[in-house]
Amino acid sequence: MTAHSDPVIRLLRDLVAINSVNPTLVPGAPGEAEIAAAVAAAMRGFGLDVQTQQVAPGRPNTIGVLEGRRKGRTLMFCGHVDTVGVAGMTQPFAPDEKDGRLYGRGAQDMKSGVAAMIDATRVLTETGGLDSGRVLVAAVVDEEHSSIGADALVTQWTADAAVVTEPTSLEIAVGHKGFVWIDVQVSGKAAHGSRPADGEDAILRMGRVLMHLEALDRALQARVPHPLLGTGSLHASTIEGGRELSSYPDSARLQMERRTLPDEPASAALGEVELILERLRREDSTFRGRARVMFSRPAYQLAADHELPQTLAAALHAPSRNLVGMSFWTDAAVLGHAGIPSVLFGPGGAGLHSTQEFVTIADVLVCRDALVELARRFCQAS
């Protein structure tokens, strides 16, 4: 059987062909209902017990269950089925194979990982099933925005360990950064542009904030790096203010992101910004600014000597493989902080969130086969 005709690649093509753009990111997008139905049908087709968990209207998680013949440990495979938007892409839902790659929106992030975890369970069922234990296959919604799917999943399902099949180029990742989104507002005083004595320019005052934030970012990136994740960082994401050319702006608003590390307290990011605002108030009694957290997600790290990454490395026949960390946030943090030890492991490729996204076809097969072997090793009776 060639890679192109392998069931996992056929399933991947079917998934890429479905528009599952996240409607929270792109208003009017269809969301995950159609792809959830396709995932459910695929898993029922080889005999899994499939359950649906409605997370939001038209946005269901889909969970397949493979039971072993005896009690044992539960291993979860988890992946998200939503994608970012497709602006600038000509045929985002027409999977195109060439030069050992499969192109299309979601091909790498992360329908290839979803196809690998589903097909791994098919292989298990068609080669005698599990002697013991249980495999859960969770296809969840909304990871590309705020992970309401993973949040809902852990309220009803648990496992002894999990693999989140995000794209890692077949590396085993045991951690990733977190993030905090912060809203900063600076007030000024509206006045006619010809009367500087009457006005206070909120945009120029926001410039003072930006100057201190740039210095803070340099300081963060000059710290001793985390051995797997590097340093924390921040960037100014969006900024707005002012009403018209001939008026002093009475307000300016900045939305920023701070990337965090596992050993940083949850309050650190907001505290850093509030310290800057307090310093500016001390320097100028007329300065008025405030900050608030809009949304945040914690960083995550699993001990490198945990059984899960070690068993996965053995399943890859690479027991001495180095473990890595990922810069991007994933649902592994939701699972991990809910008490499910988790790693990231998935195919390689390029073009995440870009107009040319692809996955390496051979990696999808390797990922699928490694998940099969991991399940056989991990789910044995304890």
Side-chain angles (χ1 to χ4, degrees), residues 189-253:
K189 184 186 294 184
H192 193 281
S194 66
R195 299 181 175 180
D198 297 336
E200 296 177 356
D201 190 328
I203 294 177
L204 288 180
R205 292 175 177 221
M206 183 64 83
R208 304 179 201 172
V209 178
L210 290 169
M211 179 184 68
H212 285 285
L213 287 175
E214 184 176 17
L216 173 59
D217 181 50
R218 288 196 299 267
L220 290 171
Q221 295 192 54
R223 292 178 180 175
V224 176
H226 184 282
L228 295 179
L229 302 176
T231 66
S233 63
L234 67 85
H235 64 273
S237 305
T238 67
I239 191 166
E240 59 183 18
R243 304 179 188 277
E244 57 198 13
L245 286 170
S246 60
S247 297
Y248 275 74
D250 61 357
S251 66
R253 182 183 188 187

Side-chain angles (χ1 to χ4, degrees), residues 19-325:
N19 179 348
S20 59
V21 172
N22 189 312
T24 310
L25 293 175
V26 182
E32 302 93 344
E34 183 180 354
I35 197 167
V39 165
M43 292 193 290
R44 288 192 180 103
F46 53 84
L48 290 199
D49 173 30
V50 177
Q51 300 184 35
T52 297
Q53 180 186 28
Q54 286 297 332
V55 179
R59 307 189 72 183
N61 288 342
T62 308
I63 301 96
V65 183
L66 172 62
E67 295 283 359
R69 287 179 285 277
R70 295 178 290 127
K71 290 187 179 298
R73 297 188 295 185
T74 297
L75 177 65
M76 177 186 288
F77 300 147
C78 183
H80 68 85
V81 291
D82 62 315
T83 73
V84 295
V86 296
M89 301 182 76
T90 55
Q91 292 185 304
F93 310 116
D96 181 26
E97 296 178 49
K98 56 185 177 184
D99 301 325
R101 301 169 173 177
L102 189 145
Y103 290 80
R105 174 56 82 227
Q108 186 190 21
D109 186 18
M110 58 171 294
K111 293 179 179 181
S112 54
V114 171
M117 71 189 198
I118 292 172
D119 203 58
T121 319
R122 176 194 64 81
V123 172
L124 287 167
T125 63
E126 294 180 359
T127 55
L130 287 172
D131 286 335
S132 60
R134 181 169 71 157
V135 171
L136 303 178
V137 183
V140 300
V141 304
D142 191 53
E143 190 272 350
E144 295 290 3
H145 185 261
S146 52
S147 290
I148 61 173
D151 281 343
L153 179 73
V154 297
T155 66
Q156 296 184 16
W157 298 87
T158 190
D160 295 290
V163 179
V164 177
T165 55
E166 288 274 10
T168 66
S169 297
L170 300 178
E171 298 285 353
I172 302 171
V174 293
H176 59 69
K177 293 181 179 180
F179 67 89
V180 184
W181 293 341
I182 299 176
D183 179 269
V184 182
Q185 297 197 39
V186 170
S187 298
K189 184 186 294 184
H192 193 281
S194 66
R195 299 181 175 180
D198 297 336
E200 296 177 356
D201 190 328
I203 294 177
L204 288 180
R205 292 175 177 221
M206 183 64 83
R208 304 179 201 172
V209 178
L210 290 169
M211 179 184 68
H212 285 285
L213 287 175
E214 184 176 17
L216 173 59
D217 181 50
R218 288 196 299 267
L220 290 171
Q221 295 192 54
R223 292 178 180 175
V224 176
H226 184 282
L228 295 179
L229 302 176
T231 66
S233 63
L234 67 85
H235 64 273
S237 305
T238 67
I239 191 166
E240 59 183 18
R243 304 179 188 277
E244 57 198 13
L245 286 170
S246 60
S247 297
Y248 275 74
D250 61 357
S251 66
R253 182 183 188 187
L254 165 71
Q255 293 185 334
M256 56 167 284
E257 180 180 74
R258 166 77 152 85
R259 290 284 166 162
T260 60
L261 300 173
D263 57 354
E264 292 184 306
S267 60
L270 180 61
E272 292 164 348
V273 178
E274 289 180 329
L275 191 63
I276 289 171
L277 298 179
E278 178 58 31
R279 177 178 176 179
L280 292 172
R281 281 190 288 267
R282 289 198 304 268
E283 294 172 352
D284 179 357
S285 62
T286 69
F287 180 88
R288 300 184 305 282
R290 64 184 187 275
R292 67 179 180 88
V293 172
M294 302 163 58
F295 187 71
S296 66
R297 287 293 191 180
Y300 173 69
Q301 184 175 7
L302 181 68
D305 60 356
H306 189 279
E307 177 190 2
L308 175 62
Q310 301 302 323
T311 306
L312 179 53
L316 281 163
H317 305 291
S320 61
R321 173 175 294 224
N322 290 331
L323 304 179
V324 302

Side-chain angles (χ1 to χ4, degrees), residues 309-369:
Q310 301 302 323
T311 306
L312 179 53
L316 281 163
H317 305 291
S320 61
R321 173 175 294 224
N322 290 331
L323 304 179
V324 302
M326 293 288 114
S327 61
F328 51 82
W329 192 87
T330 79
D331 285 338
V334 175
L335 304 184
H337 290 295
I340 306 172
S342 301
V343 297
L344 307 172
F345 174 71
L352 287 86
H353 297 200
S354 79
T355 57
Q356 287 287 325
E357 179 180 358
F358 71 84
V359 67
T360 302
I361 290 173
D363 279 13
V364 183
L365 276 68
V366 173
C367 179
R368 185 265 317 275
D369 294 344

